Amino acid sequence: MNNRTLHLVRGLPGSGKTTLAHKLSDQVFSADDYFYEKGKGVYHFAAEELPAAHAECRWKTEAAMIAGHMNVAVANTFSQAWEAADYFEMAKDHGYLVNVVECQSQFGNVHGVPESSIDRMRERWEPLNQLTISRAVQNKQKQNSNSRERSTQ
C-alpha cells in the first residue's frame, strides 16, 4: 500500500494555506518562499519573478519526493487546474497519492495582496478534480509537442 502523499493546499490569499500545510507535513513548499529574504523573514514580492518562484517550488517539491518523504505539502493558490498539473504528474511519476485541500476561510492577507488581485483570482477559480487536471495535462502535452515541432522546423 502506498502511504506517500502529496498534499496540494489551495485557496485565496489569507485563507490559511500555509498554516494548514504545516499541520499536514514537515516538508512544505510554496512559491511565496522564494520572496522571503533569507534569514530575515522579510517578504519582498516581485511579480516578474513569479515564474522563477513557481519553478523553485516545483523543484523543491520533487526533490522531497525523490528523497522519499512520506508527506509533502505545497501551499499555493492553484486557482486553475493548469497551475496544479505539474504536481499531479510529479506525484504519478514518484508514486505519491494526491490529496487536494481547499481552504475557504479568511484570516487576513499577510502578504499585502491587493483586493483587486484577489478578486481576479476568485473570478478565474475552477474546480481541481480529475477531469480538470486531465484536461490541463493534455493541453500542456499539446503545447510541448507544438513547441518541439516549431523548434525542428
Side-chain angles (χ1 to χ4, degrees):
M1 182 163 91
N2 179 353
N3 292 324
R4 293 180 180 189
T5 304
L6 173 62
H7 303 279
L8 298 182
V9 185
R10 70 188 300 231
L12 295 172
S15 62
K17 297 180 299 292
T18 303
T19 300
L20 179 57
H22 281 283
K23 292 185 183 300
L24 296 171
S25 176
D26 61 351
Q27 296 293 311
V28 176
F29 307 102
S30 170
D32 279 334
D33 297 343
Y34 181 91
F35 299 105
Y36 278 99
E37 195 173 324
K38 302 288 186 234
K40 296 185 181 178
V42 179
Y43 188 80
H44 299 287
F45 179 77
E48 66 276 6
E49 294 182 33
L50 269 172
H54 283 285
E56 181 180 273
C57 183
R58 286 188 300 270
W59 180 85
K60 287 180 176 182
T61 301
E62 187 163 29
M65 290 178 171
I66 291 168
H69 292 281
M70 296 304 286
N71 282 301
V72 178
V74 180
N76 281 332
T77 305
F78 295 123
S79 62
Q80 295 183 302
W82 69 266
E83 297 168 330
D86 287 343
Y87 293 96
F88 275 81
E89 288 184 296
M90 209 183 297
K92 182 179 176 186
D93 291 347
H94 297 289
Y96 280 71
L97 298 173
V98 179
N99 176 38
V100 177
V101 181
E102 186 170 313
C103 296
Q104 297 179 345
S105 297
Q106 279 302 309
F107 300 104
N109 171 2
V110 298
H111 299 305
V113 179
E115 196 60 38
S116 59
S117 296
I118 295 172
D119 287 342
R120 285 192 300 277
M121 291 176 203
R122 190 177 290 112
E123 288 168 9
R124 70 175 179 252
W125 197 265
E126 67 182 5
L128 199 56
N129 56 43
Q130 205 56 44
L131 178 62
T132 59
I133 290 298
S134 293
R135 286 181 183 156
V137 169
Q138 288 171 352
N139 288 339
K140 181 182 165 206
Q141 289 169 343
K142 284 180 191 174
Q143 289 172 347
N144 289 344
S145 177
N146 291 341
S147 294
R148 281 192 298 274
E149 287 175 12
R150 281 194 298 274
S151 68
T152 60
Q153 294 176 350

